[in-house]
Amino acid sequence: MGNPCGEVGAEVIRLVGYISIILGLLTWVYALISPRGLSEWLQMRIVHKALLQEVEELKAQNRALQQEIRSVRDDPLYLEHLARSELGMIRKGEVLFIVPSSPEFP
């Protein structure tokens, strides 16, 4: 005959193993369906990708602005172009003619 304590010990170990597996599965199920589970994780991944794309766009915009700053500082022709096109400035001695785009008749 076998040792009764050994059989009971093996059953207890097996029962603890089953309970551990069930608790583990319940934990995974809860993690998947809980409000802060899989759905929020997927949503955060989408937000993360969008933010990474926005960062790249802002970096490109920053590079373009830095280039424009260099042009304003170092290129007098570019500075003159900006003054004429954006501020409507003219050189000393020039005459400004304003021509309406469509004539108005009385």
Side-chain angles (χ1 to χ4, degrees):
M1 241 176 144
N3 185 354
C5 290
E7 291 175 13
V8 171
E11 288 180 25
V12 169
I13 290 174
R14 192 177 3 224
L15 182 62
V16 168
Y18 290 143
I19 291 173
S20 297
I21 290 172
I22 291 171
L23 287 175
L25 289 173
L26 288 174
T27 302
W28 275 101
V29 168
Y30 178 75
L32 291 174
I33 63 172
S34 72
R36 296 189 54 109
L38 181 63
S39 62
E40 184 172 335
W41 180 76
L42 291 173
Q43 185 179 7
M44 289 297 114
R45 280 191 63 184
I46 292 168
V47 169
H48 182 259
K49 286 182 181 181
L51 289 174
L52 287 177
Q53 182 178 358
E54 185 178 351
V55 165
E56 289 303 316
E57 290 170 1
L58 289 173
K59 284 181 180 179
Q61 184 180 10
N62 192 17
R63 285 189 297 271
L65 290 172
Q66 287 174 350
Q67 177 58 41
E68 185 171 358
I69 288 170
R70 279 192 294 278
S71 295
V72 168
R73 285 184 185 160
D74 302 336
D75 188 358
L77 292 176
Y78 182 74
L79 186 59
E80 180 181 345
H81 165 73
L82 286 178
R84 288 175 176 271
S85 64
E86 293 189 14
L87 301 176
M89 297 178 79
I90 59 173
R91 283 187 178 165
K92 190 173 187 176
E94 290 183 335
V95 178
L96 177 65
F97 291 98
I98 300 176
V99 180
S101 59
S102 62
E104 296 181 17
F105 295 105

